[in-house]
Amino acid sequence: QVQLVQSGSELKKPGASVMISCATSGYRFTSHSLNWVRQAPGQGLEWMGYINTITGNPTYAQGFTGRFVLSLDTSVNTAYLQITDLEAADTAMYYCARDLQQLVFDHWGQGTLITVSS
Amino acid sequence: QSVLTQPPSASGTPGQRVTLSCSGSSSNIGSHVVNWYQHVPGTAPRLLIYNNSQRPSGVPDRFSGSKSGSSASLAISGLQSEDEADYYCVAWDASLVSGVFGGGTKLTVL
């Protein structure tokens, strides 16, 4: 069965970096793009962007350029979200999600909580 | 402030029909399909409706979606206690060149 398993929660200090992994299984990795969605505490869902699993080309939503980097390791069917120069405002749950088509996410990771605090 | 506008809350009693709205503009809902997600806090969101009105397999036919102009709606009939969740609409926005979620509607089953 299709599974997306994300790495565990992390507590980071401001200015640090973090990398979240999204390990997939149960389907052909290159058949679907992988998207990332953020939910800050008390806030709604926010689309961050996606990465084309064939070309490795990332597309970022406004507000998620610069410090946010999407990448892949096709040898282990895993996608990554790296956030550099962390700020308190980056404290959120981050989800990866497989898409069937643009913004149609049929399988999701369980979420990774990133807490940024000094 | 979300590009897609959803009422922050809604409620209904078991068995009732409720309709959740999602309002946008010509650059998003007016020209692109709308999808809906159900999100129970602490769990991963679940796809409910895609392409305005299509239901994925496994989603009960109590859930239905529609779109008219720059607005979309999600209807839930025969409301059940397990329907208590946050509901989000999402669409592509051609002006922002980005996917945009609504702010979400928290549905309470009284």
Side-chain angles (χ1 to χ4, degrees):
Chain A
Q1 73 280 22
V2 175
Q3 286 192 307
L4 281 68
V5 179
Q6 297 182 224
S7 49
S9 301
E10 301 215 40
L11 172 62
K12 293 289 187 179
K13 293 190 183 302
S17 297
V18 68
M19 180 171 279
I20 304 168
S21 64
C22 173
T24 72
S25 61
Y27 72 98
R28 186 161 67 182
F29 185 66
T30 53
S31 293
H32 302 270
S33 293
L34 284 167
N35 292 248
W36 292 86
V37 174
R38 180 174 81 174
Q39 185 175 37
Q43 304 299 309
L45 302 178
E46 196 171 10
W47 183 73
M48 301 176 66
Y50 76 96
I51 186 162
N52 183 310
T53 53
I54 298 174
T55 65
N57 183 47
T59 297
Y60 301 97
Q62 286 185 13
F64 294 101
T65 56
R67 298 187 301 112
F68 299 84
V69 178
L70 302 182
S71 62
L72 300 172
D73 185 341
T74 56
S75 68
V76 290
N77 296 338
T78 299
Y80 302 92
L81 165 64
Q82 182 181 34
I83 311 172
T84 60
D85 194 18
L86 284 161
E87 307 167 354
D90 296 322
T91 294
M93 183 73 81
Y94 292 84
Y95 294 98
C96 63
R98 183 186 90 158
D99 73 20
L100 295 179
Q101 64 186 64
Q102 190 179 67
L103 301 175
V104 180
F105 310 137
D106 66 335
H107 287 87
W108 294 67
Q110 81 277 21
T112 296
L113 178 63
I114 302 299
T115 304
V116 183
S117 174
S118 54
Chain B
Q1 196 79 357
S2 302
V3 173
L4 303 184
T5 301
Q6 297 183 251
S9 63
S11 63
T13 56
Q16 196 174 18
R17 174 185 169 94
V18 296
T19 301
L20 310 182
S21 64
C22 175
S23 177
S25 68
S26 59
S27 66
N28 42 66
I29 295 178
S31 53
H32 294 84
V33 296
V34 178
N35 310 310
W36 290 88
Y37 293 88
Q38 178 191 60
H39 189 206
V40 176
T43 70
R46 173 196 183 194
L47 177 66
L48 276 185
I49 297 289
Y50 66 99
N51 290 353
N52 304 325
S53 60
Q54 301 301 301
R55 256 188 330 272
S57 61
V59 173
D61 59 7
R62 302 187 296 105
F63 294 91
S64 62
S66 63
K67 188 181 95 166
S68 177
S70 297
S71 293
S73 296
L74 172 71
I76 309 172
S77 60
L79 199 61
Q80 300 179 3
S81 58
E82 62 256 37
D83 298 333
E84 190 161 285
D86 299 319
Y87 292 83
Y88 293 90
C89 57
V90 64
W92 187 259
D93 189 292
S95 296
L96 297 174
V97 195
S98 175
V100 288
F101 278 96
T105 296
K106 182 177 182 61
L107 176 63
T108 301
V109 180
L110 301 170

